[in-house]
Structures are given as structure tokens and as C-alpha cells.
Amino acid sequence: MSSNKVIYAIYNDDDVLMDAVKKTRAAHHHIEEVFTPFPVHGLDKAMGLAPTRLAICSFIYGLIGLSFATWMMNYIMISDWPQDIGGKPSFSYIENMPAFVPIMFELTVFFAAHLMVITFYMRSKLWPFKQAENPDVRTTDDHFLMEVAVHNNEEELIAFFQNTGAVEVKVIEKH
């Protein structure tokens, strides 16, 4: 039977939290998660998280938007309904491309932005009507919480986190 116990070490300063995260990693304890009221610069690196690949997705989504814009304008303005606008007939897409650049830019940004939001929500598992996973409401205001797994070393971890400057250390049975 495996233990589902975790320790919640609560801090009231982001600099103290950063030092605690570094000490925790140096002591080879596994940090499950850190909850903060605002983004803490460098926390992901201190926790040892892998760099995100969302920028690659964004680039691909931008290319999809650019491709869609090119296809759409070629179909609408050249193939389906060519028009003589201002004495400039639409014989080919290449001849008219400078006029299409703003639309190409806008659809590139539109696709990248909207598909990135969807990707972020899917990757973060933030579905509609999802229950909040925030373990302590103070982490939405002015406190920082580090969640660390307990592996038959409960007393040692409590003492360790009290020495890192935690204002509160709680042992929780997680479900």
C-alpha cells in the first residue's frame, strides 16, 4: 500500500520560496507542485521543469493561418469571383499579393492566438466546470505553497521545511 501523504510548506515571500525550492531540490526531495499568487520569475528553472514547447505549436499554428489565408484569398479573389478593382484586374494571386499582405498577417495572428489558447487549456487540463485544485485559498492572495511527496520521512521533512523559512508546514492525506 502506497502512502498518499504530501507536505504543504507555506511561505509568505517569493524570495524565501525560491531559496526553499533550491534547497529542496538539492536535498533530492520531489516537488509535486508549487502554487503562487503571481508568476515567480525563474521558478520553473529552479523546480527543474523542462522548457515548454508551446512556441513550436504557436509557429505551426501561424503557418496554418498563413496557408489558410493564402488559399482563401486565392479562391475568393482569383478563382471564384475575380473583380476589376480600381482598374486592376485579378489575373493571378502573385500580381495581387501586396494587397493581400494585411489579411495574411491578420489570419496568421488569429490562428496562432486562438489555437494557442485551446492548446494551453488542453495541455493544462482546464476543462469547463473543472473543480479547482488549489489546496489553500491564501495562495490566490499573498502566500506561496510548495507540495512535496512524503515517503516515510514525515518528521525529517517537517523539520527540513521549518528550517527553510516556511511559516506553516502541514501534512495532508491526498486523495
Side-chain angles (χ1 to χ4, degrees):
M1 183 176 119
S2 66
S3 173
N4 291 331
K5 285 186 179 180
V6 293
I7 284 203
Y8 289 163
I10 300 174
Y11 300 88
N12 59 5
D13 185 71
D14 56 334
D15 293 327
V16 177
L17 170 75
M18 281 294 285
D19 290 338
V21 167
K22 290 174 185 171
K23 289 176 186 173
T24 305
R25 295 245 315 137
H28 303 291
H29 299 301
H30 178 68
I31 300 171
E32 297 284 337
E33 188 63 82
V34 176
F35 297 88
T36 64
F38 54 83
V40 178
H41 180 70
L43 184 61
D44 51 344
K45 187 174 181 183
M47 288 176 63
L49 298 177
T52 180
R53 295 183 300 265
L54 286 177
I56 297 168
C57 291
S58 181
F59 180 73
I60 291 169
Y61 297 154
L63 289 179
I64 292 169
L66 181 65
S67 301
F68 179 75
T70 304
W71 170 81
M72 181 187 74
M73 289 179 300
N74 185 56
Y75 176 73
I76 293 171
M77 298 299 289
I78 308 300
S79 303
D80 186 44
W81 196 272
Q83 299 175 43
D84 187 347
I85 300 172
K88 298 177 183 172
S90 299
F91 292 128
S92 73
Y93 181 81
I94 296 299
E95 288 177 320
N96 292 289
M97 196 170 80
F100 298 152
V101 168
I103 299 164
M104 293 162 61
F105 172 77
E106 291 298 331
L107 281 178
T108 299
V109 172
F110 179 86
F111 271 67
H114 285 78
L115 292 175
M116 279 302 296
V117 168
I118 294 167
T119 301
F120 174 76
Y121 283 143
M122 288 174 54
R123 183 71 180 98
S124 300
K125 297 179 181 146
L126 292 173
W127 314 115
F129 312 110
K130 183 180 188 295
Q131 290 285 3
E133 295 179 8
N134 194 354
D136 193 317
V137 294
R138 293 176 292 174
T139 60
T140 63
D141 186 21
D142 61 352
H143 281 70
F144 305 84
L145 185 143
M146 182 177 6
E147 181 180 311
V148 178
V150 176
H151 301 290
N152 299 323
N153 56 350
E154 188 175 316
E155 290 80 18
E156 172 199 338
L157 282 174
I158 291 171
F160 175 80
F161 286 116
Q162 287 171 340
N163 289 333
T164 62
V167 294
E168 187 178 327
V169 179
K170 295 192 280 190
V171 179
I172 303 291
E173 187 75 31
K174 197 168 183 184
H175 302 286

